[in-house]
Structure formats: structure tokens, C-alpha cells
């Protein structure tokens, strides 16, 4: 899986996201930046990651989130072989391992 290579465009986007102060600002930026489908996909992947981290089986994840098994597999690969972003954020949020 290729790594995200830092560049000026990514830096500017991430700086903009890091400048957000609350959920209302997040809603405003993401509504302008993404389509509803894109936001739904991101939120779904996040829920899938939480459920995988909590050892849910694929069939339960499909039933609860509506995610395809391909999406679940992709998220699972990210959890197991990715950059560690999911585990970092779950630790910070005090989530995971229900």
C-alpha cells in the first residue's frame, strides 16, 4: 500500500483541518469540501474501524453499518498494516475495546 507522500497541497489541507475549533466548523468545512456521499463514506469507514478494533465479525459490521465486505477488508488492512492513524485516534478518544 503506497504511503501518503507529503506535499504542499496536503499540508495546506491538513493545516486548514487543524485550524478548526469545534464540530460546527468541521460540519461547515466538510460540507463545502466534500459531497455528502464522500462524508458518509469516511464516517462509515471510521465506524467499521471502531468495530474491527472491538473484534466484531464481518457479518455484524455489514449489518450495523451497511459497509461492503470489500470496504471492511480495506479498513482491516489499514488497521493491520497502515500508518497507525486509527489506533492513535481511538487511543486519544478513549475508544475501542468496548
Amino acid at each position: 500500500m503506497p504511503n501518503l507522500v507529503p506535499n504542499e497541497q496536503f499540508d495546506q489541507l491538513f493545516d486548514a483541518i487543524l485550524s478548526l475549533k469545534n464540530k460546527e466548523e468541521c460540519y461547515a468545512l466538510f460540507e463545502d469540501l466534500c459531497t455528502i456521499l464522500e462524508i458518509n463514506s469516511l464516517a462509515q469507514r471510521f465506524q467499521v474501524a471502531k468495530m474491527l478494533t472491538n473484534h466484531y465479525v464481518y457479518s455484524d459490521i455489514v449489518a450495523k453499518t451497511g459497509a461492503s465486505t470489500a470496504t471492511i477488508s480495506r479498513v482491516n488492512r489499514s488497521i493491520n498494516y497502515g500508518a497507525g492513524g486509527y489506533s492513535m485516534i481511538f487511543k486519544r478518544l478513549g475508544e475501542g475495546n468496548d
Side-chain angles (χ1 to χ4, degrees):
M1 183 179 316
N3 292 332
L4 191 61
V5 177
N7 66 49
E8 187 175 342
Q9 285 182 321
F10 292 160
D11 287 349
Q12 289 176 8
L13 173 63
F14 297 150
D15 286 343
I17 292 169
L18 288 169
S19 76
L20 299 171
K21 293 180 175 47
N22 54 47
K23 286 182 188 176
E24 290 77 21
E25 290 183 0
C26 289
Y27 273 94
L29 176 63
F30 279 87
E31 186 172 333
D32 288 349
L33 186 63
C34 302
T35 66
I36 296 299
L37 183 60
E38 290 167 335
I39 296 169
N40 283 335
S41 293
L42 292 170
Q44 182 185 64
R45 285 186 215 133
F46 191 76
Q47 291 306 310
V48 166
K50 283 175 59 174
M51 294 180 79
L52 287 167
T53 299
N54 288 310
H55 310 291
Y56 282 74
V57 296
Y58 277 35
S59 59
D60 290 339
I61 297 170
V62 169
K64 184 161 181 163
T65 67
S68 69
T69 56
T71 295
I72 298 167
S73 293
R74 163 61 173 92
V75 172
N76 195 43
R77 273 194 309 277
S78 293
I79 289 169
N80 291 313
Y81 305 108
Y86 284 121
S87 60
M88 173 188 61
I89 203 68
F90 293 151
K91 193 176 296 181
R92 288 187 186 165
L93 295 173
E95 297 184 9
N97 296 334
D98 288 337

